[in-house]
């Protein structure tokens, strides 16, 4: 009985540890499409190459991980290989998880296997050729997957090393906040200098004081990670708001402070910003309608003003100051309208914000189904011109592209990749045809030589398809001649 009690206690401890690690890795965020069916997969992950749907990681034996052994689960998490041996698409950030300790991976497995099994097949991915060919993932891995466990830096503090593990490995922050290189892997030369999460822009979080978070205090960074809201600096939206809701708010204060300690030490990376994102839109300049004067025609002033008054002013205030209790954010001195690109403002209008009532912050409704492309563009331009960076604008064509699941830049990148693959395929086909032509010529030569040997008295004809026998009868193979 004592042994049984000890085993039960140890298992409960392992499940509790696994739950915390699962939260820190935000597994539920990507593996849940329906909140009533947690971890059952089916969540749409937009990528520049198409839509990938997450897998079921409940203990269901047929559609989930119920049949995965410990080694198979570790291999899937750290190397991106399914139980059947097929490569997983890198929409799952196993390029970050590759450095996760086996102990942590198995703790996550223990927690997941303790959850209710849910039968839910994975939807079919929507990817154009050649990205729908899983063999291409092997090429991507060759260029970008680096295996090996996380090694603490002995010259750093325990808090710094814990922060590094949380940011680089478990929290996989670089998957969104690091730009991609020519092979679409993380560009380690510009670590955490800003990237994308689908269409949403994941901002620069290096120590740069203009482009990054160098102008934030430690308390502000900690507060943002815990609540997603820091008045005068930023309010999380899109995938970041969901990360705060599903993951970061559940981390211990020590782990939050460890993340801050590590981010403070990330080398500064400059960007396109002229001034800090949060410095735009001083409230004193937008009282009344003063902020609408002098706007360019492209900003959609009249239409944007009408839309803002009817749809936004009730929550954000006529002057963009937000609500007094902070449940609805101010649009002035806010990183989203002050960014150097318009995607996050436009996507906020299209998809809203899922804040989960974290720290009393309210969610925002999605207007994408109510407004047409021109109206979304007009409203986005009004918000950025009046409350944020006036140099930023968006067109109806851009909004139409975003609704389709990509930006113009991403579309160009995908087309370029497809063209490169097509050129490589044509080149390979040409080489194969050239080799086949040479082989036919050589085969013809061998046949002529064989016929010549027969006339000279060879007891058996040479094999025309075996180039080894193409040598003249010289006594090397007397059994044949």
């Amino acid at each position: 009985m004592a042994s049984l009690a000890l085993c039960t206690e140890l298992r409960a401890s392992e499940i509790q540890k696994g739950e915390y690690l699962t939260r820190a890795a935000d597994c539920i965020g990507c593996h849940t499409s329906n909140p009533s069916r947690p971890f059952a997969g089916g969540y749409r992950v937009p990528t520049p190459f198409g839509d990938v749907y997450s897998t079921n990681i409940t203990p269901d034996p047929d559609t989930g991980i119920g049949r995965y052994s410990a080694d198979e689960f570790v291999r899937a998490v750290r190397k991106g290989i399914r139980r059947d041996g097929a490569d997983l698409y890198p929409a799952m950030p196993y390029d970050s998880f590759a450095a996760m300790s086996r102990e942590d991976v198995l703790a996550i497995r223990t927690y997941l296997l303790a959850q209710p099994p849910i039968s839910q097949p994975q939807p079919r991915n929507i990817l154009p050729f050649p990205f729908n060919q899983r063999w291409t993932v092997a090429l991507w891995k060759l260029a970008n997957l680096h295996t090996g466990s996380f090694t603490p830096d002995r010259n750093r503090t325990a808090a710094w090393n814990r922060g590094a593990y949380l940011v680089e490995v478990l929290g996989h922050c670089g998957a969104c906040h690091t730009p991609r290189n020519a092979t679409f892997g993380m560009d380690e030369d510009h670590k955490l200098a800003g990237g994308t999460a689908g269409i949403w822009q994941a901002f620069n979080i290096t120590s740069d004081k203009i482009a990054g978070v160098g102008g934030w205090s430690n308390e502000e960074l900690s507060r943002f990670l815990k609540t997603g809201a820091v008045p005068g600096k930023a309010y999380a939206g899109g995938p970041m708001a969901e990360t705060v809701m599903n993951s970061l708010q559940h981390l211990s204060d020590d782990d939050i402070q460890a993340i801050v300690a590590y981010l403070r030490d990330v080398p500064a990376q400059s960007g396109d910003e002229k001034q800090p994102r949060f410095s735009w839109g001083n409230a004193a300049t937008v009282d009344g309608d003063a902020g609408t004067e002098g706007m360019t025609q492209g900003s959609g002033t009249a239409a944007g003003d009408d839309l803002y008054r009817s749809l936004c002013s009730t929550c954000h205030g006529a002057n963009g100051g937000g609500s007094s209790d902070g449940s609805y954010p101010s649009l002035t001195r806010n990183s989203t309208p002050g960014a150097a690109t318009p995607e996050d403002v436009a996507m906020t209008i299209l998809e809203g914000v899922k804040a989960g009532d974290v720290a009393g912050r309210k969610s925002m409704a999605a207007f994408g189904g109510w407004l047409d492309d021109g109206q979304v563009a007009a409203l986005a331009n009004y918000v950025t011109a009046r409350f944020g960076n006036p140099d930023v604008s968006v067109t109806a064509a851009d909004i139409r592209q975003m609704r389709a699941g990509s930006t113009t830049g991403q579309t160009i990148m995908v087309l370029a990749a497809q063209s490169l693959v097509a050129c490589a395929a044509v080149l390979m086909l040409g080489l194969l045809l050239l080799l086949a032509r040479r082989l036919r010529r050589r085969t013809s030569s061998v046949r002529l030589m064989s016929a010549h040997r027969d006339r000279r008295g060879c007891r058996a004809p040479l094999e025309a398809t075996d180039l080894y026998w193409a040598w003249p009868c010289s006594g090397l193979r007397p059994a044949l001649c």
Side-chain angles (χ1 to χ4, degrees):
M1 292 294 292
S3 297
L4 179 61
L6 178 60
C7 289
T8 302
E9 183 179 347
L10 290 174
R11 176 171 170 77
S13 176
E14 185 75 355
I15 291 174
Q16 185 178 19
K17 175 185 177 181
E19 179 180 15
Y20 186 84
L21 294 171
T22 301
R23 287 285 192 185
D26 196 16
C27 301
I28 197 170
C30 286
H31 288 277
T32 302
S33 58
N34 182 345
S36 66
R37 301 168 69 82
F39 301 112
Y43 181 86
R44 172 179 168 266
V45 182
T47 75
F49 315 105
D51 294 339
V52 177
Y53 289 88
S54 64
T55 56
N56 184 334
I57 56 172
T58 73
D60 182 69
D62 297 318
T63 63
I65 61 169
R67 300 185 194 276
Y68 274 69
S69 68
D71 288 340
E72 288 170 341
F73 186 80
V74 171
R75 186 178 67 166
V77 171
R78 298 202 301 191
K79 295 184 178 180
I81 300 175
R82 293 190 317 203
R83 184 170 180 266
D84 63 2
D87 288 311
L88 291 167
Y89 284 108
M92 177 185 174
Y94 49 79
D95 49 341
S96 295
F97 292 161
M100 195 186 304
S101 71
R102 180 182 175 88
E103 179 184 356
D104 284 355
V105 176
L106 292 180
I108 291 173
R109 176 177 179 266
T110 300
Y111 170 71
L112 292 175
L113 291 179
Q115 305 310 300
I118 300 173
S119 178
Q120 180 171 298
Q122 179 187 8
R124 184 180 295 275
N125 297 322
I126 304 174
L127 296 167
F129 183 84
F131 309 114
N132 59 354
Q133 304 297 306
R134 284 192 182 269
W135 61 265
T136 61
V137 179
L139 301 178
W140 183 90
K141 284 183 174 182
L142 202 60
N144 300 294
L145 183 60
H146 308 291
T147 58
S149 298
F150 175 80
T151 304
D153 187 339
R154 295 184 178 181
N155 296 320
R156 303 287 186 173
T157 64
W160 187 95
N161 279 299
R162 177 61 176 173
Y165 185 71
L166 288 167
V167 171
E168 301 288 352
V169 182
L170 201 57
H172 57 279
C173 303
C176 293
H177 288 278
T178 295
R180 298 284 166 169
N181 57 30
T183 62
F184 307 106
M186 286 187 285
D187 184 355
E188 294 299 329
D189 292 333
H190 298 87
K191 182 185 296 183
L192 303 180
T196 59
I199 301 170
W200 293 85
Q201 298 298 299
F203 294 140
N204 185 326
I205 54 173
T206 71
S207 56
D208 188 84
K209 291 187 176 181
I210 294 179
V213 294
W216 295 47
S217 68
N218 288 353
E219 191 278 331
E220 287 172 333
L221 281 172
S222 297
R223 181 176 177 182
F224 183 79
L225 293 171
K226 268 287 191 179
T227 68
V230 178
K233 285 290 193 299
Y235 296 85
M240 188 63 198
E242 296 180 31
T243 300
V244 171
M245 179 176 64
N246 294 320
S247 175
L248 293 173
Q249 69 160 323
H250 300 284
L251 298 189
S252 67
D253 290 342
D254 286 344
D255 275 351
I256 292 294
Q257 290 166 14
I259 291 174
V260 172
Y262 178 72
L263 291 179
R264 283 292 186 214
D265 204 43
V266 174
Q269 298 276 355
S270 60
D272 297 329
E273 291 82 357
K274 299 177 181 178
Q275 61 189 66
R277 294 183 294 274
F278 59 80
S279 67
W280 292 96
N282 190 321
T285 67
V286 296
D287 289 338
D289 292 325
T292 64
E293 295 178 3
M295 288 190 211
T296 63
Q297 187 175 359
S299 65
T301 302
D305 180 61
D306 290 341
L307 288 166
Y308 181 83
R309 290 179 186 276
S310 62
L311 299 176
C312 312
S313 61
T314 301
C315 297
H316 294 288
N319 296 322
S323 61
S324 58
D325 63 359
S327 57
Y328 297 104
S330 169
L331 298 178
T332 62
R333 301 186 69 81
N334 183 329
S335 286
T336 300
T341 56
E343 284 84 0
D344 285 7
V345 171
M347 290 299 294
T348 299
I349 296 169
L350 287 170
E351 296 188 354
V353 175
K354 297 177 183 177
D357 204 27
V358 177
R361 186 180 172 205
K362 303 301 179 184
S363 296
M364 173 183 155
F367 293 101
W370 301 358
L371 305 177
D372 62 30
D373 297 338
Q375 290 173 316
V376 174
L379 181 55
N381 289 334
Y382 178 85
V383 169
T384 55
R386 186 177 182 194
F387 305 119
N389 185 346
D391 296 332
V392 171
S393 64
V394 67
T395 67
D398 294 330
I399 300 299
R400 184 162 52 254
Q401 191 80 30
M402 292 181 197
R403 286 188 196 268
S406 67
T407 63
T408 302
Q410 289 174 342
T411 300
I412 292 173
M413 180 175 63
V414 171
L415 290 175
Q418 288 178 318
S419 299
L420 183 62
V421 170
C423 291
V426 170
L427 180 61
M428 288 295 294
L429 181 61
L431 289 174
L432 289 173
L433 291 174
L434 181 61
L435 288 173
R437 185 177 178 182
R438 289 188 175 182
L439 184 59
R440 283 198 302 270
R441 287 181 176 178
R442 185 167 294 183
T443 300
S444 299
S445 299
V446 170
R447 286 175 177 170
L448 289 173
M449 293 173 65
S450 298
H452 178 67
R453 291 190 187 93
D454 290 343
R455 288 195 296 270
R456 292 178 58 185
C458 291
R459 292 194 297 270
L462 297 179
E463 292 289 339
T465 57
D466 194 334
L467 298 183
Y468 181 80
W469 308 127
W471 293 96
C473 298
S474 59
L476 294 177
R477 292 300 240 180
L480 293 177
C481 295

